[in-house]
Amino acid sequence: MKKYLLVINAGSSSIKFAIYQKNTLSVQLVEDASGQIEGIGSQPHFTVKTPSDQVLADRTLSVDEVRSHSGAISIILAWLRDYLADGELLAAGHRVVHGGRRYSAPVLIDAKVLAELETLIPLAPLHQPHNLATIRALLESIPSLPQTACFDTAFHQTQPAVAQSFAIPRRFADEGVRHYGFHGLSYEYIASVLPALEPTLADARIIVAHLGNGASLCALQKGESIATTMGFTPLDGLVMGTRCGSIDPGVLLYLMDRHNMDALALEELLYHHSGLLGVSGISNDMRELLASSDPGAQEAIELFVYRAGREIGSLAAALGGLDALVFTGGIGEHSAAIRAKICLQAAWLGLDLDESANKAAAGRISKLDSGLSAWIVPTDENLMIARHTQRLVCHSEAINR
Ligand code: ADP
C-alpha cells in the first residue's frame, strides 16, 4: 500500500498543500502533487497539479462551501480521499509561523501544544490564527491523524542572546518582544543541501538571501543561524514586495501624530502598501518593475538592492567575515539582473561574479578565484516540512511499537 504525507501552508485567505509519497525502501520523499484553495470566504478556487504541471483539479467553488479554513480543509480532504484511493495518509505537517521562545524544533501536535501555540497569537496575529484554525479543522475531520507544527521561527533559536535583543526595557523582552526571525524552514533546507554542493560550505561563513515577495537574509555559521534580518515580525529588514523592511521607529510616531494613524492603519500601510509597491507606485512584482522604464520602478529596484547590500555588510560583520553568498526565493532563483546588482554591492567583500554563469543560472555563479563564492540554490520549504513530519511520526511509531 502506498503511504503519503500531507504538507499544509495556511495563509489568511488561502491554504496551499503538497502531497509526498513515502518511499518504503528509503527515507526519500517524492512530491506527488501540490495545490491550493485561494479566495477563502470571497471567491474560492481550487487547483491541484503534478510536479510536471499536469492539472489534476481546477474548479471554482461556492462561498457557501468555503466560508472558512474549515470548509477549505473539507474540500481538500474529499479530493484527497479520491486521489489516494487505497493509499494511506500517514500524517500532516503544518507550516506554523510562530513557535515563540519555547519551540526550537518542529513538534508533534497534541492538546497541550495547541494550547501553547494559541498563547503565541499576539506575537503573530496576522498568521498564527489561520495556521491553528487549519490544524483544528483537520483534527476534527480525522482525529487519529498525527499532525506536526514546523515553525518559521525555530531555526533562528540558535542566534546568540545579543542578536535576539532589542534595546528597550527588559520587561518587554520577558513578555516575548524579541528578534525572532522568519523563513526558518527555507534556511534550514538550504543549510541541509549546501554541503552536498560543495563540502567546504559545511563549515563556512555564509549569507543566504531569500528574496521573494517576502525577503530576508540569514547568516549561517556551521549550518546554524546566528543572525537574520527579519525580527519581531516579518516586517523588518529588507525591502519586500509590499512590506517596508527596516524603518526608523520615529517614522511611526510621526505617522501616528501627524496622520492620526492607529495600529490597524499602520499595519495596513507597512504590510500591504509599502516596499516595492509603495516606492514604485506600480507593482510589488519584480518582473514588472524590471520591465518598466518608469523612474518609480527604477527607484524601487535601486532601494531594494541598496538595502540588501547594506544588510549583507551587517551580517558579514556578525559572522566576522564571509565565505559564500547564496541566492534563493523567486527573485533570488530567477532574476540574473538583481543577483548581478547585489553581487556588485558585495564586491568590497571580494565577490567576483561570473556573468555568464549568472545568466545561465548555474549553481555556482562566482568566478573560481573570487574571494568568496556565490551560488543559486532553489529552496523547498514543503520538502523540509515533509522531512520533519516523517522523522517525528516514524520516531513516535517506533516508540509506540
Ligand atoms: P513568496 O515570498 O510569495 O513565496 P516567491 O518566492 O514566489 O514569493 O517570489 C515572488 C517574486 O519573485 C516576485 O516579485 C516575482 O516577480 C519574482 N520573480 C519570479 N520570477 C522572476 C524573474 N524571472 N525575474 C524577476 N523576478 C522574478
Side-chain angles (χ1 to χ4, degrees), residues 302-377:
E302 199 181 324
L303 184 55
F304 180 88
V305 170
Y306 171 77
R307 291 284 334 155
R310 289 268 308 258
E311 295 287 348
I312 286 171
S314 165
L315 292 195
L319 286 163
L322 192 60
D323 302 310
L325 177 61
V326 177
F327 291 95
T328 195
I331 298 171
E333 290 169 33
H334 302 298
S335 177
I338 297 293
R339 285 193 303 266
K341 286 174 192 288
I342 292 177
C343 286
L344 201 59
Q345 294 277 316
W348 66 277
L349 285 160
L351 178 52
D352 196 359
L353 184 71
D354 179 335
E355 297 283 354
S356 54
N358 183 41
K359 286 202 181 98
R364 184 182 172 129
I365 57 169
S366 54
K367 290 188 179 150
L368 284 176
D369 60 353
S370 174
L372 66 129
S373 59
W375 306 80
I376 303 170
V377 182

Side-chain angles (χ1 to χ4, degrees), residues 203-271:
D203 283 338
R205 296 161 300 180
I206 298 168
I207 293 176
V208 184
H210 179 120
L211 309 177
N213 238 326
S216 69
L217 305 179
C218 176
L220 290 178
Q221 196 162 48
K222 295 191 192 300
E224 291 190 342
S225 169
I226 63 138
T228 188
T229 56
M230 283 178 172
F232 177 59
T233 66
L235 263 188
D236 203 4
L238 304 184
V239 172
M240 302 178 223
T242 61
R243 288 176 244 162
C244 59
S246 299
I247 189 167
D248 175 356
V251 173
L252 312 189
L253 300 177
Y254 173 87
L255 294 175
M256 291 165 78
D257 186 37
R258 303 292 295 195
H259 291 266
N260 286 323
M261 295 181 105
D262 59 9
L264 214 59
L266 283 176
E267 179 183 290
E268 185 64 21
L269 178 80
L270 302 177
Y271 273 95

Side-chain angles (χ1 to χ4, degrees), residues 38 76 83 254 279 322 392:
E38 298 170 284
I76 293 169
Y83 180 73
Y254 173 87
V279 177
L322 192 60
L392 285 166

Side-chain angles (χ1 to χ4, degrees), residues 3-10 15-22 29-37 46-51 56 73 76-77 79-80 83-84 89-95 134 138 145 148 380-387 389:
K3 299 188 176 207
Y4 297 89
L5 296 168
L6 175 63
V7 168
I8 293 184
N9 183 355
I15 295 182
K16 295 184 177 147
F17 65 96
I19 306 152
Y20 287 83
Q21 204 179 125
K22 187 172 159 6
L29 291 165
V30 183
E31 186 185 315
D32 225 62
S34 64
Q36 59 181 348
I37 294 190
F46 179 53
T47 48
V48 190
K49 57 184 181 132
T50 64
L56 300 176
I73 282 292
I76 293 169
L77 288 181
W79 180 85
L80 259 182
Y83 180 73
L84 301 186
L89 183 60
L90 287 179
H94 297 262
R95 180 176 180 177
T134 307
L138 202 51
L145 186 72
T148 67
D380 198 337
E381 290 152 305
N382 282 343
L383 180 57
M384 202 66 234
I385 295 171
R387 280 185 189 162
T389 303

